[in-house]
Amino acid sequence: MNYSTETKCLMGGYTPHQGEPRQVPIVQSTTFKYDTSEQMGKLFDLEASGYFYTRLQNPTNDHAAAKICDLEGGFAAMLTSSGQAANFYAIFNICETGGHFIASSSIYGGTYNLFGTTMKKMGIECTFVDNDITPEELEKQFRPNTKAVFGETITNPTVSIFDIEKFAAAAHKHGVPLIVDNTFATPINCRPFEFGCDIVTHSTTKYMDGHSVGVGGVIVDSGNFDWMAHKDKFPGLTTPDESYHGLIYAEKFGKAAYITKATSQLMRDFGSIQSPMNAFYLNVSLESLAVRMARHCSSALKVAQFLEKHDKVAWVDYSDLESSPQHALQQKYCPKGTCGVLAFGIKGGREASIRFMDSLKLAFIETHVADAKTALLHPASHTHRQMTDEQLLAAGVRPDLIRFSVGLEDPDDIIADLKQALEKV
Ligand SMILES: *Cc1c(COP(=O)(O)O)cnc(C)c1O
């Protein structure tokens, strides 16, 4: 059956047979038993598929990954221990020392550090570009050793929209894939593959979990990128892997090549697995993702409309607002709504913002975002505090920016809380 995305939240990734558990079981086992040495040997040669050690694969994780893959309309997926691990693996799987990639500068602070500082130490160079870069300028950023382009559907924390089609066109013209971190939109509100993106990542810690329970990540491959057509750029996929008796991933695994390599090399060697217990929690949360996203969006729009009219509020960024300069992009990429996260500034700048935040009662100050419970954060003094003012502005983060994550509480209560705190400013 070809179910809608809403139904796939319940039906995707796991179909019990007669007498089997209705809910995905937690396979809390590090290892799996085999009858003969030969059967086990075939697994190590990637000649047969099967479970043997949870660092590589575990059934609970695979059911959750399969559901997310189904939701995104992808071909293959793997869970990781965090969103950070997902983004690192997504790039490192195709871009090694001496390689270069292009990333939007409007991305999560942790990803910015990973790309700009840590991966640089590994000899991998990243060029950051503005989301509103012209196609002509974007063209000029490609080099012979460029391996990928990266962006976030809706950026954390500035909630601006990444023009997937523009970046996909440039990436494909240069024979490289576009990787999109779809954490904030979730596949309920945007499916990047439909706009030409090749690989999707998520921090499942955010809406997918949605209840502040478990840190996690996922990589989903559309299977659409033709690695063999760009053989010289991606030797890791198109030439023999000596650690697996010389097999060639793109030849042997076709559309599953990218995820198979990520699992059998990166997960094998770096080991950033998600625990089966966390994968279980994630899978349970995914069942209500569509219902929660609709509520997050409708409540966030009410909050944004309230803030927009308030005379102590300097500005509001939420592209679902008709007044937003990004409203046309929102209508194109996330017509059902973006997410529950919005950004705004209080008149009186940085100090007024801090006074306001400290006066809130229902909304808690947390580094967390995209959750059932309303939370807020001041990036300049929290998540992005390692950035210089210049870097902050380059990432579009104004010093007075408050990231406000609208939860599932009654929106009237959230607005009442904002109202009383604004009165104290
Ligand atoms: C939180 C976040 C990450 C990092 O994910 P963790 O699960 O915290 O490691 C990456 N991308 C985006 C957009 C995020 O919001």
Side-chain angles (χ1 to χ4, degrees):
M1 287 271 303
N2 190 21
Y3 294 123
S4 73
T5 311
E6 281 71 8
T7 304
K8 285 176 181 174
C9 287
L10 289 307
M11 300 296 285
Y14 173 70
T15 310
H17 300 291
Q18 176 150 284
E20 288 181 353
R22 180 66 192 92
Q23 187 50 275
V24 169
I26 309 167
V27 181
Q28 194 69 50
S29 181
T30 57
T31 193
F32 300 82
K33 179 245 177 193
Y34 284 86
D35 287 337
T36 68
S37 149
E38 196 198 340
Q39 283 170 321
M40 182 90 174
K42 281 186 180 158
L43 299 180
F44 275 98
D45 284 350
L46 300 184
E47 284 301 325
S49 61
Y51 297 100
F52 58 108
Y53 193 56
T54 286
R55 169 148 47 75
L56 284 107
Q57 279 186 299
N58 172 283
T60 311
N61 293 28
D62 284 358
H63 289 310
K67 179 182 283 184
I68 296 169
C69 188
D70 202 16
L71 290 173
E72 287 287 5
F75 187 81
M78 74 188 276
L79 294 191
T80 57
S81 56
S82 65
Q84 287 299 106
N87 284 330
F88 172 59
Y89 283 17
I91 300 283
F92 194 66
N93 203 29
I94 48 173
C95 184
E96 299 174 359
T97 304
H100 166 258
F101 66 105
I102 297 167
S104 159
S105 58
S106 299
I107 51 174
Y108 175 66
T111 315
Y112 192 92
N113 270 343
L114 169 69
F115 290 175
T117 307
T118 301
M119 290 182 76
K120 195 173 177 180
K121 290 181 193 158
M122 304 170 85
I124 297 166
E125 228 185 313
C126 176
T127 301
F128 291 105
V129 298
D130 280 353
N131 268 357
D132 56 9
I133 190 169
T134 63
E136 296 71 33
E137 274 303 310
L138 182 54
E139 262 316 285
K140 294 183 199 155
Q141 311 306 317
F142 285 85
R143 305 177 189 174
N145 62 340
T146 303
K147 309 289 183 180
V149 178
F150 180 96
E152 270 174 29
T153 321
I154 303 166
T155 65
N156 180 359
T158 58
V159 295
S160 64
I161 297 189
F162 181 69
D163 191 344
I164 300 172
E165 284 184 354
K166 175 175 81 180
F167 285 89
H172 295 159
K173 192 170 165 196
H174 292 271
V176 303
L178 174 66
I179 303 173
V180 172
D181 179 334
N182 195 31
T183 297
F184 272 20
T186 81
I188 304 305
N189 288 341
C190 179
R191 273 183 299 278
F193 296 152
E194 292 171 3
F195 300 100
C197 158
D198 302 284
I199 293 152
V200 158
T201 61
H202 286 274
S203 163
T204 62
T205 318
K206 313 297 163 55
Y207 287 119
M208 285 195 172
D209 168 308
H211 301 80
S212 351
V213 172
V215 173
V218 68
I219 307 173
V220 187
D221 181 15
S222 65
N224 294 336
F225 194 83
D226 187 350
W227 307 105
M228 277 311 212
H230 308 282
K231 217 166 177 291
D232 298 342
K233 269 193 190 294
F234 304 105
L237 284 156
T238 61
T239 60
D241 177 359
E242 295 313 329
S243 69
Y244 279 113
H245 312 299
L247 74 77
I248 297 173
Y249 289 98
E251 272 179 3
K252 190 165 170 73
F253 300 104
K255 279 173 174 286
Y258 175 89
I259 291 293
T260 306
K261 177 177 181 288
T263 305
S264 56
Q265 277 182 356
L266 303 187
M267 212 41 113
R268 179 195 63 184
D269 297 347
F270 292 128
S272 316
I273 51 148
Q274 188 161 141
S275 76
M277 191 74 207
N278 277 8
F280 170 81
Y281 287 131
L282 169 61
N283 187 62
V284 171
S285 287
L286 287 169
E287 294 187 353
S288 62
L289 183 65
V291 180
R292 289 186 285 112
M293 288 311 289
R295 168 77 172 216
H296 281 296
C297 289
S298 68
S299 293
L301 185 59
K302 284 182 192 161
V303 168
Q305 285 164 341
F306 162 78
L307 290 170
E308 196 179 30
K309 286 193 220 101
H310 201 287
D311 60 9
K312 287 189 181 166
V313 174
W315 55 271
V316 182
D317 274 350
Y318 188 60
S319 59
D320 300 37
L321 283 173
E322 275 175 33
S323 58
S324 165
Q326 288 217 309
H327 194 58
L329 279 178
Q330 180 264 330
Q331 289 290 302
K332 176 174 178 177
Y333 290 111
C334 302
K336 288 194 274 184
T338 49
C339 62
V341 184
L342 51 94
F344 64 96
I346 304 280
K347 285 180 191 163
R350 223 174 159 128
E351 274 165 37
S353 302
I354 290 170
R355 209 171 317 128
F356 158 78
M357 294 198 307
D358 290 347
S359 306
L360 288 163
K361 295 188 167 68
L362 179 146
F364 288 179
I365 298 173
E366 290 170 17
T367 51
H368 197 39
V369 64
D371 189 77
K373 296 166 285 293
T374 295
L376 81 160
L377 173 115
H378 184 223
S381 39
H382 306 137
T383 44
H384 287 56
R385 63 183 301 141
Q386 77 288 349
M387 285 195 184
T388 64
D389 278 3
E390 275 167 3
Q391 285 174 323
L392 271 179
L393 288 171
V397 182
R398 298 180 240 190
D400 63 345
L401 181 146
I402 291 170
R403 182 184 74 185
F404 197 80
S405 175
V406 178
L408 301 176
E409 304 91 346
D410 184 335
D412 291 341
D413 286 339
I414 301 170
I415 290 170
D417 189 33
L418 287 166
K419 206 182 245 170
Q420 66 80 22
L422 282 166
E423 275 161 20
K424 303 218 170 83
V425 175

